[in-house]
Amino acid sequence: MEPGRVEVVDLNFPGLVLQDGPGVNPANVGRQCPHGVILKVVSTNICGSDQHMVRGRTTAPPGLVLGHEITGEVIETGRDVEFVKAGDLVSVPFNIACGRCRSCKERKTGICLNVNPDRPGSAYGYVDMGGWVGGQAEYVMVPYADWNLLRFPDRDQAMAKILDLTMLSDIFPTGFHGCVTAGVGPGSTVYIAGAGPVGLAAAVSAFLLGAAVVIVGDLNTERLAQAASFGCATVDVSLGDIGSQIAEILGEPEVDCAVDAVGFEARGHAPDAAEAPAAVLNTVMEITRAGGSIGIPGLYVTGDPGAADDAAKVGSLSIRIGLGWARSHAFFTGQCPVMKYHRQLMMAILHDRVQIAKAVNAVPIPLGQASDGYRTFDAGAARKYVLDPHGLLGTTERSGRDDMAASRPVTRT
């Protein structure tokens, strides 16, 4: 509703036409979607990227319907939908992609050219992404359904693993993409900056890709403990030089590759340090070996009204590009192209090769408690809140509140 305030309100049932509303690009108003479907939302997650908007760190307008991590059941199909059927249980990539443009044909679905009149790339419920209505709701419309949706092969099997499968819409592929672009492979040593849900998903992904040692760095001790719970080494960046701490783990102060899972709201490496948006990028250059790669799934923006200086307000940061150049680093940025990975990761979940929900400490709560979930997550809870609009995950209003009351938030990073 405004910076610092999230509410659950009644809205009209979605249709297969993009209506005018908060954040909807004028060129998209009235857009017909006979290729779309209506989903009954089974699960929809609160994401750290949503928090940037809620904190007032973007140009998101009041009244924007949030939510880009969506899993649901198809209840209505448009005239032009051929292969997706009512009753299908599906995962929705957070990137909206047409399947027809040059980018989509090159598997770069994060920068589709046809869904956002302002620039390449789009997402549900997100600022400057075309105005497609978000899925933190009971029902949502998904365009280009045959192309975008990932259908789960068996409904009962999927519901038994739904807390894992709900991570396929964003954070699991995003963390995996960060590791793939960083060059993680068998025997790699990997540093992951940030122990939030994306950082933890990246850590799980690094192990899945065969890394020998995964080191997670953060200021938040609760989140570091969560990383350690599934085998990560950890670095508390407030305790001193990160390279020296890595040397205590590896015997040398460098790693083969690194992943920035923090993004533009990074802080300096001290308990009470001020915001320093280039801090993580500069750190990973210092501790990544010459010739190594750095995956950057952490979000960076072109408009940040809450930034500490005028340069950062337009996304201009004091990055030590000379250091990266001298060390021949490769940098990979941008939205994860979810469709490139989500089927393989689904199979890893369904066949018990990975337990992503346990790793990120997924906690389902009713939709009515969304504002509580936002507050607790923003305070630094080592949890990934999953909204349950229809009670299909077994949540109740009381049990969800008891769960959040038991959480002990610490300083966020």
Side-chain angles (χ1 to χ4, degrees), residues 57 275 277 304-310 312-313:
R57 298 301 298 271
E275 193 168 291
D304 175 9
D309 58 65
D310 290 340
K313 287 180 180 179

Side-chain angles (χ1 to χ4, degrees), residues 67-70 91-99 104 107-112 115 120-126 129 132 142-144 147-149 168-171 173-174 177 334-342:
H68 57 272
E69 300 188 12
I70 308 165
S91 177
V92 185
F94 80 89
N95 330 100
I96 302 171
C98 72
C104 287
R107 303 182 76 190
K108 299 174 182 176
T109 52
I111 47 172
C112 175
V115 289
S122 189
Y124 303 89
Y126 214 85
M129 288 292 183
W132 300 91
V142 173
Y144 302 104
W147 169 250
N148 282 296
L149 296 180
L168 291 173
S169 57
D170 182 357
I171 68 164
T174 293
H177 178 63
Q335 286 187 31
C336 164
V338 171
M339 293 174 66
K340 190 173 182 178
Y341 308 108
H342 65 174

Side-chain angles (χ1 to χ4, degrees), residues 203-263:
V204 170
S205 300
F207 283 125
L208 192 60
L209 288 164
V213 182
V214 178
I215 303 170
V216 178
D218 205 295
L219 292 160
N220 183 319
T221 55
E222 185 182 349
R223 289 181 172 181
L224 289 174
Q226 182 63 28
S229 73
F230 59 93
C232 299
T234 61
V235 165
D236 185 334
V237 300
S238 69
L239 298 181
D241 180 67
I242 295 174
S244 297
Q245 293 188 66
I246 290 173
E248 292 178 5
I249 298 167
L250 298 177
E252 58 183 1
E254 294 180 333
V255 292
D256 294 325
C257 48
V259 176
D260 171 6
V262 177

Side-chain angles (χ1 to χ4, degrees), residues 30-290:
R31 186 167 178 164
Q32 302 287 322
C33 297
H35 42 68
V37 301
I38 306 299
L39 296 185
K40 176 182 179 180
V41 176
V42 172
S43 60
T44 177
N45 315 327
I46 295 175
C47 180
S49 296
D50 297 321
Q51 292 283 24
H52 296 308
M53 293 184 288
V54 174
R55 292 179 194 136
R57 298 301 298 271
T58 71
T59 55
L64 185 71
V65 180
L66 300 168
H68 57 272
E69 300 188 12
I70 308 165
T71 304
E73 177 188 356
V74 178
I75 61 170
E76 180 184 336
T77 61
R79 179 196 65 210
D80 296 341
V81 177
E82 293 187 71
F83 307 113
V84 174
K85 307 298 181 186
D88 285 347
L89 196 62
V90 297
S91 177
V92 185
F94 80 89
N95 330 100
I96 302 171
C98 72
R100 298 154 167 80
C101 69
R102 174 179 177 175
S103 292
C104 287
K105 290 179 179 180
E106 293 177 353
R107 303 182 76 190
K108 299 174 182 176
T109 52
I111 47 172
C112 175
L113 304 176
N114 289 331
V115 289
N116 184 355
D118 280 341
R119 62 186 184 189
S122 189
Y124 303 89
Y126 214 85
V127 59
D128 297 332
M129 288 292 183
W132 300 91
V133 179
Q136 287 175 12
E138 294 175 316
Y139 301 91
V140 68
M141 189 268 281
V142 173
Y144 302 104
D146 282 329
W147 169 250
N148 282 296
L149 296 180
L150 173 68
R151 187 178 68 85
F152 301 140
D154 182 272
R155 184 184 183 89
D156 290 339
Q157 181 190 31
M159 286 305 297
K161 296 180 179 290
I162 195 66
L163 282 182
D164 293 287
L165 294 171
T166 194
M167 305 305 163
L168 291 173
S169 57
D170 182 357
I171 68 164
F172 194 10
T174 293
F176 193 83
H177 178 63
C179 288
V180 168
T181 55
V184 178
S188 298
T189 58
V190 187
Y191 178 76
I192 295 171
V198 171
L200 296 174
V204 170
S205 300
F207 283 125
L208 192 60
L209 288 164
V213 182
V214 178
I215 303 170
V216 178
D218 205 295
L219 292 160
N220 183 319
T221 55
E222 185 182 349
R223 289 181 172 181
L224 289 174
Q226 182 63 28
S229 73
F230 59 93
C232 299
T234 61
V235 165
D236 185 334
V237 300
S238 69
L239 298 181
D241 180 67
I242 295 174
S244 297
Q245 293 188 66
I246 290 173
E248 292 178 5
I249 298 167
L250 298 177
E252 58 183 1
E254 294 180 333
V255 292
D256 294 325
C257 48
V259 176
D260 171 6
V262 177
F264 75 102
E265 285 195 66
R267 293 179 177 273
H269 296 154
D272 299 315
E275 193 168 291
V280 170
L281 291 172
N282 289 330
T283 294
V284 295
M285 283 189 278
E286 292 170 1
I287 54 92
T288 300
R289 69 174 178 86

Side-chain angles (χ1 to χ4, degrees), residues 347-362:
M347 296 301 287
I349 289 169
L350 293 178
H351 295 279
D352 299 317
R353 297 300 180 188
V354 65
Q355 293 181 304
I356 183 66
K358 182 178 180 181
V360 302
N361 197 15

